[in-house]
Amino acid sequence: MYIFIGKCTHRYAVPGTLLVRRMISSSEVATALRPFYFAVHPDLFGRYPQQRQVNEDSLKLLSAHLESLLTQKRILPSTPRALPFYIRASNAPQDRGTFNLIKVPLERTVDAKLVLRRILESCNLPTEYVDKMPATKPSSTATSSSGSTYEEGFQQQQQHQSFYYKKRSEYNFGKEDEDADDSGPFEKEFDLFQFRIKKVRENETLKKWLRKHVVTATVRTKAVQELQEEVEKLREDVTKRLGLREIIYDCGWNVEHFRGCLKSLEKLAELHPGALDGLKDRTVVFAAFTGVSLEGNVMLFTGDVQRNWLELIKTIDKHDSYLRKLPAYEFALSQVLRNIRIGRRKFMPKAQAMAYASHLRKITTALLDYLGKSKFPKSWPTDLSKFELVVESEAGPLMVSPTGQLIVPATCPGSLLVDFLTNHLEEALEKQSSYDRQKHIERDLHARCVAQFRLLSLTKDDSVTPDRMIECLEKLLAHGGLAGGGQLELADLNLTITTYYSVLTDGTVCIPWDWKQ
């Protein structure tokens, strides 16, 4: 006996069993999870790359899991039991940069309704829409004459179907039949969701966006001023108490987090009087790692416990010994490469002196091994002092930077490094001269923009190269001033040129360098 219900009813011939199964559609899944998407979507975490990457990876796995449930009614073997997602701690301005890491459970069941409910419940999101959805379980579970239940019959049916299931592989080179669909229904819904967000972003003009968000930015800027004054006073007190040269905050979190770091350092000094004497006349930086930087600054990771900070400070002499060796290591590498200048990228990730010394030794050894078997190309100049080489970590790039520096990873083989230099010396010189011209233009435009728009500050992200910054500032001056059809509302704000629109917790306004008029 077969009973058909709804537009997505499937039938399975299991003797003696009454079968009723209504399949949830992909559009229903997308609607049910819309609050979840808005809470975890990667585009909401542009300022926080770690959280963005975690959410992006988890959404891909969730997409695959839901597609498998909708199209095949099966659980993929690779599906984890829970997926990590970052969500904001709250919508309050003071908590905008604070996140909670949650584990979204993926129920080991083909009941899509239950899966959706668990996802929403894990994020404390409403489940009313899911509760109103028809049940996906069979309405009758009478056993067959052989003692098999409906679910067993369904699994057997799936096993038979899986034999004929067409799967893309290297044998068909990724090609499918013309009438075959390349993506499942859930992927289509999610892609459509992303497409709509992208279109909104593309059609957004700077003036229109500012009108909607300038009040928020102004309120947040004023609200955080009192807190900033408190933090500045605390910074001065801790600096004076420990005899420091300076305290710098280089972490990317909000000003409240900076206050917490200062309080932790102050408490450490109270618990261990005299143990922090090694910090006298030093610069302390709250950063992404604990160690001593190439500039000799004491770096304290904001996520470390106080004990780790204390251990570093007690062994700071060991780190200083490596710091003193760096000029000799850099000189040795320069001599091997015909007096090439050894530099450091302006925006390169902060590195420990101990690790950098190891990187210099590795690259110098690789070049000496190469020279033991071969010679430098005849096309090379006898003196390479016009060029600047930057040695980075093992996983670093092999490239010419926008400023003309030659960036190489520490593990680069000698032959590959020589080949890279041979092919890119001319490009490096061109970029050097271009940067030398652009940096003066950028400084002039920077000063004019600050004055014309009465900005509190004007900064840029590391990803914004001088030519992009110049293009952005010229456009602001040309179209944002009175001559351009009306003043942009930027007075008394902190402006950052980046790749996205955003208002940060402290009121900083972020705009893309290629904003639309």
Side-chain angles (χ1 to χ4, degrees):
M1 178 178 183
Y2 300 125
I3 297 180
F4 298 86
I5 295 182
K7 61 181 179 180
C8 296
T9 302
H10 289 254
R11 61 184 184 178
Y12 304 101
V14 181
T17 305
L18 178 65
L19 305 181
V20 180
R21 177 176 287 269
R22 195 270 191 185
M23 308 292 285
I24 293 177
S25 69
S26 58
S27 60
E28 288 176 315
V29 171
T31 302
L33 290 182
R34 186 169 289 124
F36 175 73
Y37 296 155
F38 282 115
V40 304
H41 197 279
D43 285 350
L44 302 174
F45 299 83
R47 188 72 173 176
Y48 310 96
Q50 179 185 347
Q51 288 80 1
R52 178 189 177 94
Q53 190 62 50
V54 169
N55 285 13
E56 190 171 322
D57 293 341
S58 293
L59 275 176
K60 289 177 182 177
L61 292 173
L62 179 61
S63 173
H65 177 64
L66 291 176
E67 180 191 347
S68 179
L69 287 184
L70 291 179
T71 60
Q72 302 174 57
K73 277 292 174 181
R74 72 186 185 97
I75 300 170
L76 296 173
S78 58
T79 300
R81 293 190 173 272
L83 291 174
F85 282 99
Y86 280 101
I87 61 172
R88 296 188 183 279
S90 74
N91 291 323
Q94 64 269 21
D95 295 329
R96 188 55 61 88
T98 306
F99 306 99
N100 292 330
L101 179 63
I102 60 172
K103 298 288 186 179
V104 173
L106 297 183
E107 296 292 336
R108 317 307 284 184
T109 175
V110 293
D111 183 1
K113 183 176 178 180
L114 179 59
V115 173
L116 295 177
R117 185 185 292 112
R118 290 289 183 267
I119 292 173
L120 294 171
E121 287 175 346
S122 66
C123 302
N124 293 322
L125 294 171
T127 61
E128 287 84 353
Y129 181 84
V130 176
D131 294 335
K132 293 176 183 177
M133 294 168 67
T136 58
K137 292 181 179 180
S139 60
S140 172
T141 56
T143 57
S144 66
S145 57
S146 61
S148 300
T149 63
Y150 168 82
E151 287 299 322
E152 290 171 342
F154 179 75
Q155 291 171 4
Q156 292 171 5
Q157 180 76 6
Q158 285 295 58
Q159 290 173 0
H160 288 299
Q161 288 181 344
S162 66
F163 180 81
Y164 300 100
Y165 179 68
K166 187 172 183 181
K167 183 178 180 181
R168 174 176 295 185
S169 67
E170 64 275 15
Y171 299 109
N172 58 21
F173 303 101
K175 296 180 180 178
E176 301 286 357
D177 294 336
E178 291 182 2
D179 58 345
D181 197 356
D182 188 43
S183 60
F186 179 75
E187 284 188 346
K188 285 183 179 178
E189 292 291 337
F190 185 64
D191 289 344
L192 182 62
F193 175 76
Q194 290 185 309
F195 175 75
R196 286 172 179 165
I197 291 179
K198 183 180 179 183
K199 291 301 290 181
V200 170
R201 191 187 301 120
E202 287 177 351
N203 295 329
E204 190 81 272
T205 65
L206 179 58
K207 255 179 201 178
K208 188 188 297 183
W209 186 86
L210 283 174
R211 279 196 214 103
K212 289 189 289 187
H213 296 91
V214 71
V215 174
T216 302
T218 303
V219 170
R220 289 181 183 177
T221 300
K222 290 179 179 177
V224 84
Q225 281 178 349
E226 191 173 318
L227 179 60
Q228 285 176 328
E229 291 172 4
E230 178 189 341
V231 169
E232 283 304 315
K233 185 177 183 306
L234 182 59
R235 190 209 301 242
E236 290 176 8
D237 291 344
V238 175
T239 301
K240 184 176 180 181
R241 176 176 178 175
L242 299 180
L244 302 174
R245 187 182 304 165
E246 188 182 6
I247 297 178
I248 299 173
Y249 188 66
D250 186 22
C251 187
W253 288 70
N254 55 32
V255 67
E256 192 168 347
H257 190 65
F258 184 23
R259 178 177 61 178
C261 293
L262 290 170
K263 290 281 188 183
S264 294
L265 188 59
E266 186 179 46
K267 186 177 180 181
L268 189 64
E270 292 173 357
L271 293 174
H272 304 275
L276 305 189
D277 290 345
L279 294 179
K280 286 184 179 177
D281 203 29
R282 310 273 308 230
T283 296
V284 170
V285 182
F286 294 112
F289 70 90
T290 296
V292 176
S293 74
L294 306 185
E295 297 76 26
N297 298 333
V298 178
M299 316 294 280
L300 301 178
F301 176 38
T302 57
D304 261 349
V305 294
Q306 293 180 0
R307 182 182 61 190
N308 291 349
W309 289 3
L310 190 61
E311 287 176 0
L312 168 69
I313 296 167
K314 287 180 178 179
T315 60
I316 206 165
D317 290 342
K318 180 182 177 182
H319 292 266
D320 284 345
S321 66
Y322 280 96
L323 197 63
R324 288 190 290 269
K325 295 175 183 177
L326 292 184
Y329 288 141
E330 290 181 333
F331 179 76
L333 178 57
S334 175
Q335 291 299 296
V336 173
L337 274 177
R338 297 184 177 180
N339 297 318
I340 198 169
R341 289 179 288 123
I342 309 300
R344 295 163 191 171
R345 272 207 282 178
K346 183 179 180 182
F347 299 117
M348 72 182 288
K350 300 296 181 184
Q352 294 195 55
M354 193 181 301
Y356 184 58
S358 174
H359 298 158
L360 291 173
R361 288 198 304 267
K362 284 181 181 178
I363 200 92
T364 304
T365 302
L367 283 169
L368 289 174
D369 289 344
Y370 172 85
L371 289 175
K373 303 172 184 176
S374 186
K375 295 181 179 179
F376 289 140
K378 293 181 180 180
S379 60
W380 279 25
T382 55
D383 182 72
L384 296 178
S385 57
K386 289 183 180 179
F387 305 94
E388 190 169 48
L389 185 78
V390 176
V391 179
E392 294 197 349
S393 65
E394 288 87 344
L398 186 61
M399 59 175 278
V400 180
S401 76
T403 62
Q405 292 176 313
L406 297 154
I407 315 295
V408 298
T411 53
C412 185
S415 56
L416 184 60
L417 175 57
V418 170
D419 185 60
F420 169 73
L421 294 178
T422 304
N423 295 323
H424 292 87
L425 288 178
E426 198 171 317
E427 179 189 350
L429 275 182
E430 290 175 0
K431 288 188 173 181
Q432 271 186 42
S433 59
S434 174
Y435 175 71
D436 288 340
R437 293 191 306 270
Q438 289 176 340
K439 65 182 179 183
H440 299 293
I441 299 173
E442 183 182 340
R443 287 172 190 165
D444 177 60
L445 292 171
H446 183 281
R448 287 170 57 191
C449 278
V450 171
Q452 178 166 322
F453 295 106
R454 303 197 306 278
L455 296 169
L456 294 178
S457 67
L458 175 59
T459 56
K460 69 174 183 177
D461 272 358
D462 300 351
S463 59
V464 180
T465 53
D467 56 325
R468 288 179 172 181
M469 188 66 170
I470 288 171
E471 179 184 337
C472 175
L473 297 182
E474 285 178 340
K475 201 159 60 167
L476 278 174
L477 291 169
H479 301 284
L482 293 173
Q487 184 77 33
L488 289 173
E489 303 173 53
L490 293 170
D492 300 321
L493 291 175
N494 297 295
L495 181 64
T496 294
I497 309 302
T498 178
T499 57
Y500 53 85
Y501 284 109
S502 181
V503 179
L504 304 185
T505 349
D506 60 359
T508 299
V509 173
C510 300
I511 66 171
W513 65 272
D514 55 348
W515 55 271
K516 293 184 180 294
Q517 300 175 20

